[in-house]
Every structure is written in structure tokens, then in C-alpha cells.
RNA sequence: GAGCCGUUAGCUCAGCAGGUAGAGCAUCUGCCUUUUAAGCAGAGGGUCGCCGGUUCGAUCCCGGCACGGCUCACCA
């Protein structure tokens, strides 16, 4: 557990924990020259994986005949002393390998130095390979060098580190001792690499747009504020890159994406971290139907790549990513869940009546569109376990989306739900500058009325649309939630290396 | 921001009508040259999250605070 109030503890505090003291003393016994205790002159010749690959199919006799000497470096993860011999395990980024050290092989002095090593120390080992009686591939140490002393004891070897607070605050320890955590973050890296390659192959250009913006637009969320001293200018950390990416469509890049951090000054939960990673992509001459296809393609390929299967575990259930995915209109979903006809959801009083009938707490000041979305979130969203595109959002909750050609009160937009969580949001883009100006003004009015998640009028964005933005569609995919899905993680903190905690 | 739950040794966890605490691993000492959750024998280690209250006496009961978890709210 992290000390809660360490301000009164100093480095020379005498009652240092016994185990730390023992390790510090061992460090001191190496002598006053710190270069010998923290050396950087050992170069491994092989990783554990490379050694296993090299020796994998050799029988014990062939292994004995192999005269190669291997140099291996890593962290000591187990120590089994036996009088005049000792076994320990070295772990590097690729795995663990057992080391066997004998007094009669190393000499008295060198053997004593091996015996003084602790679990957690970083060490280098040189020697030849053999197999033990129990057929364990082992390196017989001809030389063992302490490279870096570990002053603190590692968590228990069998149960590991369980305390979630320590796991998040001291992620380095979590990573050290919990291999499944390392695996999650390796998967995260592979997923992000795969997404980039997927888009690159489809002709998308990866770009970087401002994270510090003079005006926070592109999503309905409260921004973080910061200040530039030299310009004496307040800036907002971006809540979304959307308005900048669409300016690039105007400029002639007709397929762009950005995969990077957004910042929203909102609450924390198992699905929300104040800084999170979002993919946004924009494609000219495409509509939201194209985004649905692209999303299915991407998720299917990712599931095959990462899980090797389209049926993946998700919080104790199974999710099938086999396309095509279900499509459900927002209104139909609410009607079905509420047990009424869609025609009974047409007006604001209709919706209030339904909410009342179901005993739902809703804000009566909401307009029809927001209320419909609210009902959907309460009634339908948590039940959308299998992949579902939710379609046809009300205009008033979608100030940047293109109107539906047949029903101008709705927009051509979908959100994707899997495992009860929103994974993506996409729409055909609004490119009529006059309509956009009016929608911005409605947002600004809502803002003046107290909605601090509503955006302001972005005059330059409207001007950009006046230069003509090609018809286009765009999509945002929550990368953290995508990683949660593909690693079956219950909390966003399990897929973010250093999630925000109170300090 | 609200409700519920949690915080005991380095780690994982027990415990208690209210009588200031235990185990395993880890650590230390001794023995042990093919073990692998090594083994055997012994030892040390705790402001029971923090502050206050009740009480002869509080790890335990009560109040407050801190941090964390879950749920809700917020997050189109």
C-alpha cells in the first residue's frame, strides 16, 4: 500500500522496513563505487525466447554438445538455494529461463555473490545450456553479474499483486508480476498498430491536429482549460479533433484519420477516463452506410488478429462479431423496450408519458430529441450485448451531422454498441455552411441557457465549409473501449497504463 | 456529487461479546550440489488507513476525514 501521508518520513528514517534494510546493506557491501552496483557494461547475446528457439528441438545430448555460450540479462524472479548450489529464474521481456549456479563451478567468492542476490535484482548471466532431470531447459552459470540492485521486495510469488489501488498507482510493479497485465498492454499496442495499418492500406492519411484549441468543439463535453503565458491566451484541451479534421477535407486530403488523446472534464467510471484515446476518421464521397461497412471490416479483422476468432468472451458472455451486425433505429429500440408502438413516441408529451409509465427519472426540461436519447440510454443501451448499429438520431443532439433526406428532424448517424458499451459514433457529415451556422447558433443559445457542454459558433469552420467540403462521412472509435472489448477487460483502467487517480 | 462496501506484517489473507493480533509466502540464522509454490529446524517483523468520541480498556462500537472499489449521477 502506498503510504498515505509520507510527508513526515525521511530517507534516513531509522525504522526502515527490515527487508529494504537488508537489501540496502547488501548494496553497501559492494563497496563505495556506485558504478559497480549500477553497471551498464553487460550486453545480452540472446533473449529468453531466442534461447528457447535455438535449443527447442535439441535432445539433451545435442544440447550438451552445443558449445555456444549464451549471455542473458533480466530480472531475478525466483530463487531456490540448495547449500552449495542454487537455482534461480531470470525473466526478460520475452520470458523466463532457469539458471543453475554451482559453488564448484563459480568459485567460493563468486558463489557467495550469487547467494547474496535477491528476487527482483537485475542480473546478467553467461553460460552453456543443459536440461535438468526434470527436463527443464537451464543455463549453467559460468558468470553471474549484478547489474542493478532491487531495493524493495517484490509482491508474493504465488498470489502476486492484487490490491487494485497499488496496481494502478505502481503500474511498474503490476507489470512486473502480473503477466496477464503485460499481455493486455501488448494487445493494446498490436490493436493500435493494426488500426493504423488497416487505414493506411485504405488510403487514409494520418494527421495531427491541435490538442490545445482556442475553442473546444466537436463533441458535447466540458473541456479542461489551460493558459498560454506568452500570448496571454486561454486555451482548451481538445474534446475532439473533428472540426480540424474536416477542415482537411476542405483542403483536399480526402481520407484522413487521427488516433490520439482527447480530454474531457467529466466524471470517472469503468468506461470513462478524463484523457482517453480516440480514433477519428473522415472519408470524402462516402456516407454513414460506408462507415458501417468499414467498421465491420475493421472489427472482424481485429478479432481474427487479436483473438483468432469472431466469437469472443465479454464479461462472462460471448459476443459474436460475425457480420452483418444488427441495425436498430433509436425510436424502434425505445418502442420495443417500452412495449409501445413507434407512433406513440412522436411528440414530447408522448415521450414524457412513456417515461412516467415506466417510472423513469427524466429531466422534464429536455426537448423531444434529447428525451428520446435519454430513454434509449436507460432502456436499451445496457442490453445491447451483441454488436448493434443504432441508427437515426434526432437532429438536436447532432449539430455536425447531415440531415436525413426523408425526415429532416433526424440525421444520418449511428452509434455502435457491443457488450452494453458505446464503441463508435459516426455520421454523414453536414457540409451546408448555412445549416451549420444555424446549428452552431442553436448550440450557442443552449450554452447561454446553461448547457456548458454545448459548443460555440466556430466562424472559421463555417468559412471553411463555404469553400466547399466534399460530401463525406466520419467516425469516432473509442480505442480504450475497443481494447477493453478485445481483451475482455471490465474497466477502462485496466487498459490505460496510468489511469487518473486522486493524488 | 450520492449510496453501498473496503483499508490488519513487504505481499495474499484470517481474526475479534471490546481485554492492544495470526497464517502462508517473503526476510533473517543454521543444514542442504538437478530444484522449480524446493525441503527441514529456528527467529525477527504490526501506531490493525488517519483524527476524535464512548469505555477501566478500542483493530473491533460511534462520528469525521483520506484513499480505493462497485452502482448511480455526469459523460449527445
Amino acid at each position: 500500500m502506498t503510504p498515505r501521508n509520507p510527508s513526515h518520513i525521511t530517507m534516513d528514517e531509522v525504522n526502515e522496513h527490515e527487508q529494504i534494510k537488508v537489501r540496502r546493506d547488501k548494496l553497501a557491501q559492494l563497496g563505495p563505487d556506485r558504478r559497480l552496483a549500477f553497471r551498464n557494461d553487460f550486453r545480452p547475446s540472446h533473449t529468453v525466447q531466442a534461447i528457447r528457439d535455438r535449443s527447442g528441438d535439441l535432445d539433451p545430448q545435442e544440447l550438451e554438445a552445443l558449445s555456444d555460450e549464451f549471455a542473458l540479462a533480466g530480472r531475478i524472479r525466483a530463487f531456490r538455494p540448495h547449500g552449495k548450489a542454487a537455482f534461480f529464474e531470470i525473466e526478460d521481456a520475452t520470458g523466463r529461463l532457469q539458471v543453475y549456479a554451482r559453488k564448484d563451478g563459480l568459485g567460493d567468492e563468486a558463489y557467495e555473490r550469487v547467494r547474496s542476490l535477491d528476487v527482483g535484482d537485475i542480473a546478467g548471466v553467461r553460460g552453456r545450456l543443459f536440461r535438468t532431470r526434470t527436463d527443464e531447459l537451464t543455463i549453467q552459470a559460468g558468470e553471474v553479474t549484478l547489474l542493478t540492485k532491487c531495493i524493495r521486495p517484490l509482491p508474493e510469488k504465488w498470489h502476486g499483486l492484487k490490491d487494485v489501488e497499488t496496481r494502478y498507482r505502481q503500474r511498474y510493479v503490476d507489470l512486473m508480476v502480473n503477466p496477464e497485465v503485460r499481455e493486455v498492454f501488448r494487445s493494446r499496442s498490436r490493436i493500435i498498430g493494426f488500426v493504423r495499418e488497416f487505414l493506411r492500406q485504405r488510403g487514409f492519411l494520418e494527421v495531427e491536429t491541435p490538442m490545445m484549441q482556442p475553442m473546444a468543439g466537436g463533441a458535447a463535453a466540458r473541456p479542461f482549460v489551460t493558459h498560454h503565458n506568452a500570448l496571454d491566451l486561454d486555451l482548451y484541451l481538445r474534446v475532439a479533433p473533428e472540426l480540424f479534421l474536416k477542415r482537411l477535407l476542405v483542403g483536399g486530403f480526402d481520407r484522413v484519420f487521427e488516433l490520439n488523446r482527447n480530454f474531457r472534464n467529466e466524471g470517472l467510471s469503468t468506461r470513462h477516463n478524463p484523457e482517453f484515446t480516440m480514433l477519428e476518421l473522415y472519408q470524402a464521397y462516402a456516407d454513414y452506410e460506408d462507415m458501417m461497412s468499414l467498421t465491420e471490416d475493421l472489427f472482424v479483422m481485429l478479432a481474427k488478429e487479436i483473438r483468432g476468432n469472431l466469437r469472443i468472451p465479454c464479461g462472462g458472455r460471448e459476443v459474436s462479431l460475425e457480420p452483418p451486425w444488427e441495425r436498430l433505429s433509436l425510436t424502434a429500440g425505445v418502442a420495443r423496450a417500452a412495449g409501445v408502438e413507434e407512433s406513440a413516441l412522436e411528440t414530447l408529451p408522448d415521450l414524457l408519458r412513456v417515461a412516467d409509465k415506466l417510472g423513469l427519472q427524466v429531466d422534464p426540461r429536455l426537448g423531444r430529441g434529447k428525451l428520446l436519447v435519454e430513454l434509449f440510454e436507460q432502456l436499451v443501451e445496457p442490453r445491447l450485448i451483441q454488436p448493434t448499429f443504432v441508427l437515426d438520431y434526432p437532429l438536436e443532439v447532432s449539430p455536425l451531422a447531415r440531415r436525413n433526406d426523408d425526415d429532416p428532424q433526424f440525421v444520418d448517424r449511428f452509434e455502435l454498441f457491443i457488450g452494453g458499451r458505446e464503441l463508435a459514433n459516426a455520421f454523414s457529415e453536414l457540409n451546408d455552411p448555412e445549416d451549420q451556422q444555424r446549428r452552431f447558433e442553436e448550440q450557442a443559445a443552449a450554452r447561454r441557457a446553461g448547457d456548458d457542454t454545448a459548443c460555440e459558433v466556430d466562424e472559421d469552420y463555417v468559412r471553411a465549409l463555404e469553400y466547399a467540403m466534399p460530401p463525406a462521412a466520419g467516425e469516432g472509435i473509442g480505442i480504450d473501449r475497443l481494447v477493453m472489448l478485445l481483451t475482455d477487460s471490465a474497466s477502462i483502467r485496466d487498459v490505460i497504463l496510468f489511469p487518473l487517480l486522486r493524488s
Side-chain angles (χ1 to χ4, degrees):
Chain A
M1 188 73 58
T2 308
R4 289 284 151 55
N5 183 12
S7 53
H8 64 288
I9 298 174
T10 58
M11 284 302 284
D12 54 349
E13 181 95 1
V14 192
N15 62 355
E16 188 172 64
H17 289 294
E18 174 199 9
Q19 299 190 41
I20 295 181
K21 185 173 187 327
V22 166
R23 287 166 179 246
R24 279 195 200 280
D25 288 348
K26 287 181 180 175
L27 184 56
Q29 276 163 17
L30 293 173
D33 187 349
R34 302 290 280 189
R35 288 174 299 183
L36 293 176
F38 296 91
R39 48 199 304 167
N40 191 356
D41 57 358
F42 187 93
R43 294 294 174 266
S45 65
H46 293 71
T47 61
V48 167
Q49 188 58 54
I51 289 174
R52 292 199 186 283
D53 290 346
R54 176 76 180 82
S55 60
D57 41 16
L58 301 181
D59 63 36
Q61 287 72 35
E62 291 170 318
L63 206 56
E64 294 287 334
L66 191 67
S67 60
D68 304 26
E69 199 176 63
F70 295 87
L72 173 67
R75 190 182 294 276
I76 296 176
R77 288 305 313 278
F79 206 98
R80 295 184 285 274
H82 287 261
K84 298 186 181 63
F87 292 93
F88 57 94
E89 290 172 29
I90 288 262
E91 181 171 58
D92 69 11
T94 68
R96 287 195 196 195
L97 189 69
Q98 180 168 263
V99 180
Y100 183 46
R102 297 166 60 111
K103 192 169 192 172
D104 60 9
L106 289 167
D108 291 1
E109 196 187 327
Y111 183 69
E112 277 315 304
R113 281 201 302 272
V114 169
R115 290 295 295 252
S116 74
L117 293 172
D118 290 299
V119 170
D121 289 352
I122 309 290
V125 173
R126 247 182 268 278
R128 293 175 53 179
L129 293 171
F130 74 105
R131 284 188 186 277
T132 64
R133 285 176 196 160
T134 51
D135 203 36
E136 170 107 16
L137 184 68
T138 303
I139 181 163
Q140 170 132 12
E143 185 188 328
V144 180
T145 312
L146 173 66
L147 301 178
T148 310
K149 188 67 190 170
C150 176
I151 300 301
R152 293 177 180 270
L154 263 47
E156 208 242 355
K157 63 184 172 190
W158 193 243
H159 298 94
L161 180 64
K162 289 265 189 355
D163 183 278
V164 289
E165 184 173 358
T166 311
R167 286 187 44 227
Y168 296 151
R169 287 190 193 276
Q170 294 172 233
R171 183 70 91 180
Y172 40 91
V173 180
D174 190 28
L175 289 165
M176 218 182 278
V177 303
N178 291 324
E180 69 281 5
V181 174
R182 290 198 295 270
E183 203 41 53
V184 164
F185 289 103
R186 288 207 176 92
S187 292
R188 181 177 176 121
S189 177
R190 287 170 60 206
I191 289 163
I192 288 172
F194 189 93
V195 168
R196 286 202 158 97
E197 182 59 18
F198 174 92
L199 291 170
R200 200 191 61 77
Q201 287 192 354
R202 280 159 201 253
F204 285 84
L205 182 73
E206 181 169 12
V207 297
E208 292 166 278
T209 66
M211 295 207 187
M212 296 194 293
Q213 304 177 347
M215 177 185 308
R222 272 174 282 267
F224 288 93
V225 189
T226 187
H227 187 79
H228 190 281
N229 289 338
L231 297 179
D232 188 24
L233 178 67
D234 278 339
L235 290 168
Y236 300 93
L237 299 189
R238 73 175 181 200
V239 297
E242 173 158 358
L243 296 175
F244 286 92
L245 291 171
K246 286 194 282 195
R247 283 174 168 96
L248 299 179
L249 293 181
V250 174
F253 290 138
D254 61 5
R255 293 184 179 204
V256 295
F257 76 97
E258 182 160 10
L259 199 171
N260 217 315
R261 222 69 64 82
N262 287 348
F263 307 86
R264 296 186 183 178
N265 204 340
E266 308 282 0
L268 286 71
S269 80
T270 51
R271 294 182 293 283
H272 300 89
N273 195 62
E275 56 176 305
F276 63 101
T277 302
M278 177 82 103
L279 165 68
E280 283 203 16
L281 62 99
Y282 293 86
Q283 178 176 348
Y285 315 111
D287 64 15
Y288 76 139
E289 293 274 354
D290 297 305
M291 292 296 108
M292 285 189 250
S293 306
L294 180 144
T295 307
E296 285 176 344
D297 288 351
L298 174 62
F299 279 46
V300 162
M301 289 173 72
L302 267 173
K304 285 179 181 163
E305 175 74 13
I306 303 297
R307 306 296 310 222
N309 200 324
L310 292 185
R311 306 183 79 85
I312 61 175
C314 179
R317 307 192 202 212
E318 188 180 81
V319 161
S320 171
L321 296 173
E322 187 72 47
W325 300 341
E326 189 184 344
R327 299 181 180 201
L328 174 69
S329 93
L330 192 76
T331 312
V334 172
R336 199 166 72 187
V340 300
E341 296 294 317
E342 286 188 47
S343 57
L345 297 171
E346 277 172 7
T347 65
L348 183 57
D350 283 345
L351 292 169
L352 287 170
R353 201 155 40 238
V354 167
D356 188 54
K357 188 185 102 184
L358 295 169
L360 295 176
Q361 301 278 330
V362 293
D363 186 340
R365 293 168 303 179
L366 294 179
R368 185 187 115 76
K370 286 194 175 178
L371 184 54
L372 187 62
V373 170
E374 177 66 25
L375 288 177
F376 184 84
E377 286 174 359
Q378 292 203 28
L379 293 172
V380 187
E381 229 178 77
R383 298 199 216 154
L384 297 179
I385 304 302
Q386 299 303 321
T388 306
F389 289 118
V390 175
L391 310 175
D392 305 332
Y393 279 72
L395 181 80
E396 61 198 90
V397 299
S398 315
L400 302 167
R402 187 179 193 279
R403 285 176 203 271
N404 182 275
D405 285 340
D406 300 322
D407 185 347
Q409 286 311 299
F410 285 84
V411 294
D412 288 342
R413 169 180 173 189
F414 72 80
E415 288 191 0
L416 169 65
F417 290 85
I418 306 178
R421 288 191 284 261
E422 180 193 341
L423 269 287
N425 177 23
F427 38 84
S428 302
E429 300 299 337
L430 172 60
N431 64 346
D432 172 346
E434 285 179 27
D435 193 357
Q436 184 66 73
Q437 175 72 32
R438 282 194 300 276
R439 304 243 209 128
F440 273 145
E441 282 165 5
E442 283 161 21
Q443 286 283 307
R447 189 176 180 79
R448 282 191 299 276
D451 181 356
D452 55 0
T453 68
C455 66
E456 297 172 73
V457 179
D458 187 335
E459 306 278 0
D460 179 71
Y461 179 69
V462 175
R463 176 167 53 206
L465 294 188
E466 287 169 351
Y467 279 97
M469 181 176 87
E475 175 166 15
I477 296 178
I479 294 297
D480 310 284
R481 293 180 184 177
L482 175 61
V483 175
M484 288 169 71
L485 176 72
L486 291 168
T487 58
D488 194 19
S489 298
S491 171
I492 198 168
R493 296 183 200 94
D494 294 325
V495 301
I496 291 177
L497 280 166
F498 300 99
L500 184 69
L501 299 176
R502 249 179 256 266
S503 45

